[in-house]
Amino acid sequence: MALSPESNEAFLREVDDALRQDQALDFWRRYGRLLIVAIVGGLAVFGGYLFWQNRQHKAAEREGEQLQVAYDDLAAGKLDASAKTLAELAQSKSDGYRAAALFSQADIALRKEDLKGAAKQFAAIAGDQSMAKPFRDLALIRQTMAEFDTLKPDVVVSRLRGLAAPGNPYFGSAGELVALAYLKQGRRDLAMRLYNQIAATESVPESLRQRAVQMGAVLDTGAAQSGGAAGNEKAKQQ
């Protein structure tokens, strides 16, 4: 007996459903264990990541509290207590806390008027390639500040020329040191140009800009007076 269109469609659906079930069972027999392993492994990795993230967060909180204690001791004049805490933080795996501790250790040396010790510590930070570049650049500037009086002007210029450029985050501090080195070299024109650039850069801290304005004005006045004196001398000779 021939099937009606409706019965034929229902029969085909049953066959299709049976075929899909067989395919699903066959897929499960072949890959079911692998899927379970993959799911369990993924959950384990995700759980491990959450555990690691939680540990990192707690470690950061603990190190933040330690750093605050060290700063409180510094403010209270307890240099030895602060130094002990900072020595621990200097081994931190966090670049931020490690850098803060190392800079603070060097600052303690400066407070003790140990310029050589401070310069050595800043130099260690500047040469630490595992430290982020902004930290290394700042350490190089602080090192140069600490030993500026003992350095030849050309050493200061060659060391900081790359940082003493408009657009660099440390342009103000590095530029001021390079300008002073230019003055030691007798290159007043280069020093005045650098001071004027610092004074015109809005991103430079206001205190540095004011000093640059004052130094630029002094150099400009000196250049005018020197030019006037030279002119008078020439007139006398004529």
Side-chain angles (χ1 to χ4, degrees), residues 154-210:
D154 58 327
V155 173
V156 175
V157 173
S158 63
R159 181 186 288 182
L160 299 181
R161 184 185 286 115
L163 302 178
N168 188 281
Y170 300 119
F171 171 51
S173 299
E176 188 174 42
L177 290 171
V178 172
L180 289 173
Y182 281 149
L183 288 177
K184 283 189 173 184
Q185 292 177 329
R187 305 167 76 180
R188 297 169 63 91
D189 56 332
L190 294 180
M192 185 167 65
R193 183 190 307 168
L194 197 46
Y195 280 127
N196 290 338
Q197 287 178 327
I198 295 172
T201 303
E202 294 184 359
S203 60
V204 171
E206 186 62 27
S207 58
L208 283 178
R209 293 178 66 190
Q210 289 179 357

Coordinates of all heavy atoms in Angstrom, one line a residue, residues 154-210:
D154 N 81.0 67.2 28.9 CA 80.7 66.4 27.7 C 80.1 65.1 28.0 O 79.3 64.5 27.3 CB 81.9 66.2 26.8 CG 83.1 65.6 27.6 OD1 83.2 65.8 28.8 OD2 83.8 64.8 27.0
V155 N 80.4 64.5 29.2 CA 79.8 63.3 29.7 C 78.3 63.5 29.9 O 77.5 62.6 29.6 CB 80.5 62.7 30.9 CG1 79.8 61.5 31.5 CG2 81.9 62.4 30.6
V156 N 78.0 64.6 30.6 CA 76.5 64.9 30.9 C 75.8 65.1 29.6 O 74.7 64.5 29.4 CB 76.4 66.2 31.7 CG1 75.0 66.6 31.9 CG2 77.1 66.0 33.1
V157 N 76.4 65.8 28.7 CA 75.7 66.0 27.4 C 75.4 64.7 26.6 O 74.3 64.5 26.1 CB 76.5 67.0 26.5 CG1 75.8 67.1 25.1 CG2 76.5 68.4 27.2
S158 N 76.5 63.9 26.5 CA 76.3 62.6 25.7 C 75.4 61.7 26.5 O 74.7 60.9 25.8 CB 77.7 62.0 25.6 OG 78.3 61.6 26.8
R159 N 75.4 61.7 27.8 CA 74.6 60.8 28.6 C 73.1 61.1 28.4 O 72.2 60.2 28.4 CB 75.0 60.8 30.0 CG 74.2 59.8 30.9 CD 74.6 60.0 32.4 NE 75.9 59.5 32.7 CZ 76.4 59.5 33.9 NH1 75.7 60.0 34.9 NH2 77.6 59.0 34.1
L160 N 72.8 62.4 28.5 CA 71.4 62.9 28.5 C 70.8 63.5 27.3 O 69.6 63.9 27.3 CB 71.2 63.8 29.7 CG 71.5 63.3 31.1 CD1 71.3 64.4 32.1 CD2 70.7 62.1 31.4
R161 N 71.6 63.6 26.2 CA 71.2 64.3 25.0 C 69.9 63.7 24.5 O 69.0 64.4 24.0 CB 72.2 64.2 23.9 CG 71.8 65.0 22.7 CD 72.9 64.9 21.6 NE 74.1 65.6 21.8 CZ 75.3 65.1 22.0 NH1 75.4 63.8 22.0 NH2 76.3 65.8 22.2
G162 N 69.7 62.4 24.5 CA 68.5 61.7 24.0 C 67.3 62.1 24.8 O 66.2 62.1 24.2
L163 N 67.4 62.3 26.1 CA 66.3 62.6 26.9 C 66.0 64.1 27.0 O 64.9 64.5 27.3 CB 66.6 62.2 28.4 CG 66.9 60.7 28.6 CD1 67.2 60.4 30.0 CD2 65.7 59.8 28.1
A164 N 67.0 64.9 26.6 CA 66.8 66.4 26.6 C 66.3 66.9 25.3 O 66.9 67.8 24.7 CB 68.2 67.1 27.0
A165 N 65.2 66.3 24.9 CA 64.6 66.7 23.6 C 63.1 66.9 23.8 O 62.4 66.2 24.5 CB 64.8 65.6 22.6
P166 N 62.5 68.0 23.2 CA 61.1 68.2 23.3 C 60.3 67.0 23.0 O 60.6 66.3 22.0 CB 60.9 69.4 22.4 CG 62.2 70.1 22.3 CD 63.2 69.0 22.4
G167 N 59.3 66.7 23.8 CA 58.5 65.6 23.5 C 58.8 64.4 24.5 O 58.0 63.5 24.7
N168 N 60.0 64.4 25.0 CA 60.4 63.3 25.9 C 59.8 63.6 27.3 O 59.8 64.8 27.7 CB 61.9 63.3 26.1 CG 62.4 62.1 26.9 OD1 62.3 62.1 28.1 ND2 62.8 61.0 26.2
P169 N 59.3 62.6 28.0 CA 58.6 62.8 29.3 C 59.5 63.5 30.3 O 59.1 64.2 31.2 CB 58.2 61.4 29.7 CG 58.1 60.6 28.5 CD 59.2 61.2 27.6
Y170 N 60.8 63.3 30.2 CA 61.8 63.9 31.1 C 62.6 65.0 30.5 O 63.7 65.4 31.0 CB 62.8 62.8 31.6 CG 62.1 61.6 32.3 CD1 62.2 60.3 31.7 CD2 61.4 61.8 33.4 CE1 61.6 59.2 32.4 CE2 60.8 60.7 34.0 CZ 60.9 59.4 33.5 OH 60.3 58.4 34.1
F171 N 62.0 65.7 29.5 CA 62.7 66.8 28.9 C 63.1 67.9 29.8 O 64.2 68.4 29.7 CB 61.7 67.4 27.8 CG 62.3 68.6 27.2 CD1 63.5 68.7 26.6 CD2 61.5 69.8 27.1 CE1 64.0 69.9 26.1 CE2 61.9 70.9 26.5 CZ 63.2 71.0 26.0
G172 N 62.2 68.3 30.7 CA 62.5 69.4 31.7 C 63.7 69.1 32.5 O 64.7 69.9 32.5
S173 N 63.7 67.9 33.2 CA 64.9 67.6 34.1 C 66.2 67.3 33.3 O 67.2 67.9 33.7 CB 64.5 66.4 34.9 OG 63.3 66.6 35.7
A174 N 66.1 66.5 32.3 CA 67.3 66.3 31.5 C 67.8 67.5 30.8 O 69.0 67.8 30.7 CB 67.0 65.1 30.5
G175 N 66.9 68.3 30.3 CA 67.3 69.5 29.5 C 68.0 70.5 30.4 O 68.9 71.2 30.0
E176 N 67.5 70.6 31.7 CA 68.1 71.6 32.6 C 69.6 71.2 32.9 O 70.5 72.0 32.9 CB 67.3 71.6 33.9 CG 67.8 72.7 34.9 CD 66.9 72.8 36.1 OE1 66.4 71.7 36.6 OE2 66.5 73.9 36.5
L177 N 69.8 69.9 33.1 CA 71.1 69.4 33.4 C 72.1 69.6 32.1 O 73.2 70.0 32.3 CB 71.1 67.9 33.7 CG 70.5 67.6 35.1 CD1 70.3 66.1 35.3 CD2 71.3 68.1 36.2
V178 N 71.5 69.3 31.0 CA 72.3 69.5 29.7 C 72.6 71.0 29.5 O 73.8 71.3 29.1 CB 71.6 68.9 28.5 CG1 72.3 69.3 27.2 CG2 71.5 67.4 28.6
A179 N 71.7 71.8 29.8 CA 71.9 73.3 29.7 C 73.0 73.7 30.6 O 73.9 74.6 30.2 CB 70.6 74.0 30.0
L180 N 73.0 73.2 31.8 CA 74.1 73.6 32.8 C 75.4 73.1 32.3 O 76.5 73.8 32.4 CB 73.8 73.0 34.1 CG 72.6 73.6 34.9 CD1 72.3 72.8 36.2 CD2 73.0 75.0 35.3
A181 N 75.4 71.9 31.7 CA 76.7 71.4 31.1 C 77.1 72.2 29.9 O 78.4 72.5 29.8 CB 76.4 69.9 30.6
Y182 N 76.2 72.7 29.1 CA 76.6 73.6 28.0 C 77.2 74.9 28.6 O 78.2 75.4 28.0 CB 75.4 74.0 27.2 CG 74.9 73.0 26.2 CD1 73.5 72.8 25.9 CD2 75.8 72.1 25.6 CE1 73.1 71.9 25.0 CE2 75.4 71.2 24.7 CZ 74.0 71.1 24.4 OH 73.6 70.1 23.4
L183 N 76.7 75.4 29.7 CA 77.3 76.6 30.3 C 78.7 76.3 30.8 O 79.6 77.2 30.6 CB 76.4 77.1 31.5 CG 75.1 77.7 31.1 CD1 74.3 78.1 32.4 CD2 75.3 79.0 30.3
K184 N 78.9 75.2 31.3 CA 80.3 74.8 31.8 C 81.2 74.7 30.6 O 82.4 75.0 30.7 CB 80.3 73.4 32.5 CG 79.8 73.5 33.9 CD 80.0 72.2 34.6 CE 79.7 72.2 36.1 NZ 80.0 71.0 36.8
Q185 N 80.7 74.4 29.4 CA 81.5 74.3 28.2 C 81.7 75.6 27.6 O 82.4 75.8 26.6 CB 80.8 73.3 27.2 CG 80.9 71.9 27.6 CD 80.1 71.0 26.6 OE1 79.2 71.4 25.9 NE2 80.5 69.8 26.5
G186 N 81.0 76.7 28.1 CA 81.0 78.0 27.5 C 80.1 78.1 26.3 O 80.3 79.1 25.5
R187 N 79.2 77.2 26.0 CA 78.3 77.3 24.9 C 77.0 77.9 25.3 O 76.0 77.3 25.4 CB 78.1 75.8 24.3 CG 79.4 75.2 24.0 CD 79.3 73.7 23.8 NE 78.7 73.4 22.5 CZ 78.5 72.1 22.1 NH1 78.8 71.1 22.9 NH2 77.9 71.9 20.9
R188 N 77.1 79.2 25.5 CA 75.9 79.9 26.1 C 74.7 79.9 25.1 O 73.6 79.9 25.5 CB 76.3 81.4 26.4 CG 77.4 81.5 27.5 CD 77.9 82.9 27.5 NE 76.9 83.9 27.9 CZ 76.6 84.2 29.2 NH1 77.3 83.7 30.2 NH2 75.7 85.1 29.4
D189 N 75.0 80.0 23.8 CA 73.9 80.0 22.8 C 73.1 78.7 22.9 O 71.9 78.7 22.8 CB 74.5 80.2 21.4 CG 75.5 79.1 21.1 OD1 76.2 78.6 22.0 OD2 75.7 78.8 19.9
L190 N 73.8 77.6 23.0 CA 73.1 76.3 23.1 C 72.3 76.2 24.4 O 71.1 75.7 24.4 CB 74.0 75.1 23.0 CG 74.7 74.9 21.6 CD1 75.7 73.7 21.7 CD2 73.7 74.8 20.5
A191 N 72.9 76.7 25.5 CA 72.2 76.7 26.8 C 71.0 77.5 26.8 O 69.9 77.1 27.2 CB 73.2 77.2 27.9
M192 N 71.1 78.7 26.2 CA 69.9 79.7 26.1 C 68.8 79.1 25.3 O 67.6 79.2 25.6 CB 70.4 81.0 25.6 CG 69.2 82.1 25.6 SD 69.8 83.8 25.3 CE 70.4 83.6 23.6
R193 N 69.2 78.4 24.2 CA 68.2 77.8 23.3 C 67.4 76.7 24.0 O 66.2 76.6 23.9 CB 68.8 77.3 22.1 CG 67.8 76.7 21.1 CD 68.6 75.9 20.0 NE 69.6 76.7 19.3 CZ 70.5 76.2 18.5 NH1 70.5 74.9 18.3 NH2 71.4 77.0 18.0
L194 N 68.1 75.9 24.8 CA 67.5 74.8 25.6 C 66.6 75.4 26.7 O 65.5 74.9 26.9 CB 68.6 73.9 26.1 CG 68.2 72.5 26.6 CD1 67.3 71.8 25.6 CD2 69.4 71.7 26.9
Y195 N 67.1 76.4 27.4 CA 66.3 77.0 28.4 C 65.0 77.6 27.8 O 63.9 77.4 28.4 CB 67.0 78.1 29.1 CG 68.0 77.6 30.2 CD1 69.3 78.0 30.2 CD2 67.6 76.8 31.2 CE1 70.2 77.6 31.1 CE2 68.5 76.3 32.2 CZ 69.8 76.7 32.1 OH 70.7 76.3 33.1
N196 N 65.1 78.2 26.7 CA 63.9 78.8 26.0 C 62.9 77.7 25.6 O 61.7 77.9 25.7 CB 64.3 79.6 24.8 CG 65.0 80.9 25.2 OD1 64.8 81.4 26.3 ND2 65.7 81.5 24.3
Q197 N 63.4 76.5 25.1 CA 62.6 75.4 24.8 C 61.8 74.9 26.0 O 60.7 74.5 26.0 CB 63.4 74.3 24.1 CG 63.8 74.7 22.7 CD 64.7 73.5 22.1 OE1 65.4 72.8 22.8 NE2 64.6 73.4 20.8
I198 N 62.6 74.8 27.1 CA 62.0 74.3 28.3 C 60.9 75.2 28.8 O 59.8 74.8 29.2 CB 63.0 74.1 29.5 CG1 64.0 73.0 29.1 CG2 62.4 73.8 30.8 CD1 65.2 72.9 30.0
A199 N 61.2 76.5 28.8 CA 60.2 77.5 29.2 C 58.9 77.5 28.4 O 57.8 77.8 28.9 CB 60.8 78.9 29.2
A200 N 59.0 77.1 27.1 CA 57.9 77.1 26.2 C 57.1 75.8 26.2 O 56.1 75.7 25.5 CB 58.4 77.5 24.8
T201 N 57.6 74.8 26.9 CA 56.9 73.5 26.9 C 56.0 73.4 28.0 O 56.4 73.3 29.2 CB 58.0 72.4 27.0 OG1 58.9 72.5 25.9 CG2 57.3 71.0 26.9
E202 N 54.7 73.3 27.8 CA 53.7 73.3 28.8 C 53.6 72.1 29.6 O 53.2 72.1 30.8 CB 52.3 73.6 28.2 CG 52.1 74.9 27.5 CD 50.7 75.1 27.0 OE1 49.9 74.2 27.1 OE2 50.4 76.2 26.4
S203 N 54.1 71.0 29.1 CA 54.1 69.7 29.8 C 55.2 69.6 30.9 O 55.2 68.8 31.7 CB 54.3 68.5 28.8 OG 55.5 68.6 28.1
V204 N 56.1 70.6 30.8 CA 57.2 70.6 31.8 C 56.7 71.2 33.1 O 55.9 72.2 33.1 CB 58.4 71.5 31.3 CG1 59.4 71.7 32.4 CG2 59.1 70.8 30.1
P205 N 57.0 70.7 34.3 CA 56.5 71.2 35.6 C 56.8 72.7 35.7 O 57.8 73.2 35.2 CB 57.4 70.4 36.6 CG 57.6 69.1 36.0 CD 57.9 69.5 34.5
E206 N 55.9 73.4 36.3 CA 55.9 74.9 36.4 C 57.2 75.4 37.0 O 57.8 76.4 36.6 CB 54.7 75.4 37.1 CG 54.6 76.9 37.2 CD 54.4 77.5 35.8 OE1 53.9 76.8 34.9 OE2 54.8 78.7 35.6
S207 N 57.7 74.7 38.1 CA 58.9 75.1 38.7 C 60.1 75.1 37.8 O 60.9 76.0 37.8 CB 59.2 74.2 40.0 OG 59.3 72.9 39.6
L208 N 60.2 74.1 37.0 CA 61.3 74.0 36.0 C 61.1 75.1 34.9 O 62.1 75.7 34.5 CB 61.3 72.6 35.3 CG 61.9 71.5 36.1 CD1 61.7 70.2 35.3 CD2 63.3 71.7 36.5
R209 N 59.9 75.3 34.5 CA 59.7 76.4 33.5 C 60.1 77.8 34.0 O 60.7 78.6 33.3 CB 58.3 76.4 33.0 CG 57.8 75.1 32.3 CD 56.4 75.2 31.9 NE 56.1 76.2 31.0 CZ 54.9 76.6 30.6 NH1 53.8 76.1 31.1 NH2 54.7 77.6 29.7
Q210 N 59.8 78.0 35.3 CA 60.2 79.3 35.9 C 61.7 79.5 35.9 O 62.2 80.6 35.6 CB 59.5 79.5 37.2 CG 58.0 79.6 37.2 CD 57.4 79.7 38.6 OE1 58.1 79.6 39.6 NE2 56.1 80.0 38.7

